[in-house]
Amino acid sequence: MSINPWHTAQEQLENATDRLDLDPLLHARLSQPDRIVEVSLPVTMDDDSVRVFTGFRVQHNNIRGPYKGGLRYHPHVDMNEVKALSFWMTMKNALIDVPFGGGKGGIAVDPKVLSVGELERLTREFTRKLFPVIGPALDVPAPDVNTSGQIMRWIRDEYETLAGKQAPAVVTGKSLDNGGSEGRTEATGLGGSFALAELTRLSGDTLKGKTVAIQGFGNVGSYFAEYAIELGCVVVAVSDSKGTLYKQSGLNDVKAIEKYKKDTKSLDGFPGADYLSAEAVLSLDVDILVPAALENSITIDNVGDIKATIIVEMANGPTTPDADAVLNERGVMVIPDILANSGGVAVSYFEWFQNMNDESWTKEDVFEKLKQKMTSAAQATFASAVENSCSLREAAYLVAIGRLGQK
Ligand code: GLU
């Protein structure tokens, strides 16, 4: 039976609500998205046939500012997934304390089987359909799974054509030559490493020599691997949807693995490492497990196999509530998604701010500001967990909902 991420999100909200004396109006506002948009996207394919795709944008809440969140291109995208992801964006943006609400969108498509031309036509059609509901002060999309700076470029261009004016801040995650920010590409992975470092420090522990396994070797997983190594961790495994690359003494040259995967489209055969099944990554004997792929990877069926004592949720919604309860009972430190992966949207905010104010910050500046944001969100979460004797996830929700209540 497939697990509905929207039910997971609702359950997380109810858990936090039970601990708070939450104003019924705020509870009602957070329980359902403000607006859901579903659009039909007819596209002429390269062979002149016409295919019709379905696109979604869910604007969950804008109490704290414009709706903000990524666009995902994946065959499994559906309304329940997008609703859950938009809710998590509201929480994430409040927790990392940027003046944005939460939104999310996507298209049910496998972009890997489309030509560049088909992808561009699909993206421009999506932008035309979303035009009435997006804008720099209204709703600001960004990259997510399988979307990139190139896709943001097409959206910006199409939006500006329709608006008849420059509007670089209509999307973030743009490439540098198109109004993007220094450090946005690294931001999610780097931010996760800052959160991990601070929470380890606050728990009186050290990262030196800790072994790490990472599920998902896209932009987020690969940068997280690099920064975890810089912090003194030993990354023994990285996986993609087809298999797991494993080396007990450490996969030290992450850039070489990235190049190998780009050239061969697989991790299989990378010199000096073993190749295991995709699922094997979850049950390895490591200190830190990093789900950095999609939702529902840690479930009640596999939670018993997990040996790690720290989990860093770099994906959105990787742990189902029943599996989460088991991890809590076992005393595993789960750094929740809305904290662990919030570095991406934090630097999206920096990008939006630079665009709105015609500024251009250096990478050092961006990284320093990101470190401050991640460290203070980690500290607020930790303090709330101690004060309320609860998990870091519940604590993160308490901090986020508390901020939403102040508006
Ligand atoms: N897609 C990313 C996330 O899930 C980034 C969103 C953004 O930068 O707006 O947080």
Side-chain angles (χ1 to χ4, degrees):
M1 199 186 73
S2 72
I3 299 149
N4 182 338
W6 176 235
H7 291 160
T8 302
Q10 286 176 310
E11 202 169 324
Q12 288 165 344
L13 175 64
E14 293 319 312
N15 283 346
T17 306
D18 288 348
R19 287 186 176 266
L20 284 165
D21 188 16
L22 191 60
D23 168 33
L25 183 61
L26 179 60
H27 179 254
R29 281 184 168 155
L30 298 176
S31 297
Q32 289 296 329
D34 286 350
R35 180 196 269 163
I36 58 179
V37 178
E38 183 175 323
V39 292
S40 170
L41 305 170
V43 176
T44 306
M45 308 304 281
D46 290 349
D47 64 1
D48 279 337
S49 66
V50 172
R51 273 184 69 188
V52 183
F53 299 89
T54 305
F56 306 90
R57 184 74 184 169
V58 175
Q59 297 176 332
H60 177 261
N61 186 278
N62 67 352
I63 296 179
R64 288 174 49 89
Y67 302 103
K68 181 86 191 82
L71 295 173
R72 170 176 295 200
Y73 288 5
H74 193 277
H76 294 158
V77 165
D78 66 17
M79 190 56 93
N80 282 318
E81 181 187 55
V82 178
K83 277 167 77 174
L85 291 163
S86 72
F87 167 81
W88 288 323
M89 287 310 304
T90 298
M91 296 298 146
K92 193 186 300 189
N93 290 335
L95 179 63
I96 198 70
D97 204 8
V98 292
F100 287 138
K104 197 83 171 201
I107 304 177
V109 61
D110 180 359
K112 291 177 188 143
V113 303
L114 299 191
S115 69
V116 175
E118 289 167 341
L119 202 56
E120 176 172 357
R121 291 195 290 283
L122 176 63
T123 301
R124 288 185 183 275
E125 180 67 9
F126 194 27
T127 311
R128 286 192 285 276
K129 295 282 163 71
L130 291 186
F131 180 73
V133 297
I134 61 172
L138 177 58
D139 183 354
V140 185
D144 195 76
V145 175
N146 293 335
T147 51
S148 61
Q150 176 58 67
I151 286 172
M152 299 305 115
R153 181 188 297 270
W154 291 325
I155 297 176
R156 175 185 169 184
D157 185 62
E158 194 64 30
Y159 180 88
E160 289 182 341
T161 303
L162 293 168
K165 61 177 183 210
Q166 292 274 306
V170 66
V171 280
T172 59
K174 301 178 293 292
S175 50
L176 268 180
D177 66 350
N178 188 38
S181 175
E182 290 283 359
R184 178 62 184 83
T185 316
E186 300 92 328
T188 313
L190 177 60
S193 76
F194 288 144
L196 171 64
E198 185 59 12
L199 286 164
T200 311
R201 189 188 70 79
L202 290 166
S203 324
D205 200 354
T206 170
L207 287 173
K208 290 266 168 305
K210 281 213 169 24
T211 50
V212 181
I214 302 174
Q215 180 196 44
F217 197 61
N219 170 269
V220 175
S222 56
Y223 274 111
F224 185 90
E226 283 183 39
Y227 292 114
I229 292 168
E230 274 183 26
L231 289 170
C233 294
V234 183
V235 175
V236 298
V238 295
S239 75
D240 64 12
S241 57
K242 289 176 275 182
T244 300
L245 200 62
Y246 177 76
K247 187 174 179 182
Q248 201 180 358
S249 60
L251 297 161
N252 296 325
D253 193 349
V254 178
K255 285 274 181 264
I257 304 173
E258 272 175 56
K259 184 171 180 320
Y260 184 86
K261 164 130 198 198
K262 199 163 169 247
D263 293 346
T264 67
K265 308 267 174 285
S266 170
L267 294 167
D268 192 5
F270 182 78
D274 295 330
Y275 190 66
L276 315 174
S277 72
E279 302 74 49
V281 72
L282 295 174
S283 54
L284 291 171
D285 190 7
V286 291
D287 301 309
I288 303 175
L289 177 63
V290 184
L294 295 171
E295 301 91 74
N296 301 333
S297 61
I298 300 177
T299 68
I300 200 69
D301 297 325
N302 60 26
V303 68
D305 302 330
I306 290 177
K307 306 192 179 58
T309 53
I310 300 175
I311 294 182
V312 189
E313 293 186 333
M314 296 305 291
N316 290 307
T319 311
T320 63
D322 45 6
D324 200 34
V326 173
L327 293 169
N328 279 336
E329 225 161 81
R330 283 194 354 221
V332 174
M333 178 165 91
V334 180
I335 305 182
D337 48 5
I338 61 168
L339 172 62
N341 71 37
S342 61
V345 75
V347 176
S348 273
Y349 167 60
F350 300 156
E351 178 177 334
W352 180 87
F353 185 93
Q354 290 171 80
N355 291 157
M356 297 296 263
N357 295 285
D358 205 13
E359 291 181 14
S360 175
W361 302 351
T362 64
K363 191 178 267 193
E364 291 67 38
D365 233 14
V366 169
F367 283 0
E368 190 45 45
K369 288 185 167 73
L370 174 63
K371 186 173 186 177
Q372 281 168 18
K373 279 255 172 248
M374 297 305 305
T375 306
S376 59
Q379 287 170 353
T381 303
F382 189 83
S384 168
V386 172
E387 191 187 321
N388 297 290
S389 312
C390 64
S391 68
L392 291 174
R393 187 185 316 282
E394 283 173 301
Y397 277 103
L398 296 182
V399 174
I401 294 171
R403 293 214 177 112
L404 282 150
Q406 282 160 16
K407 286 281 167 179

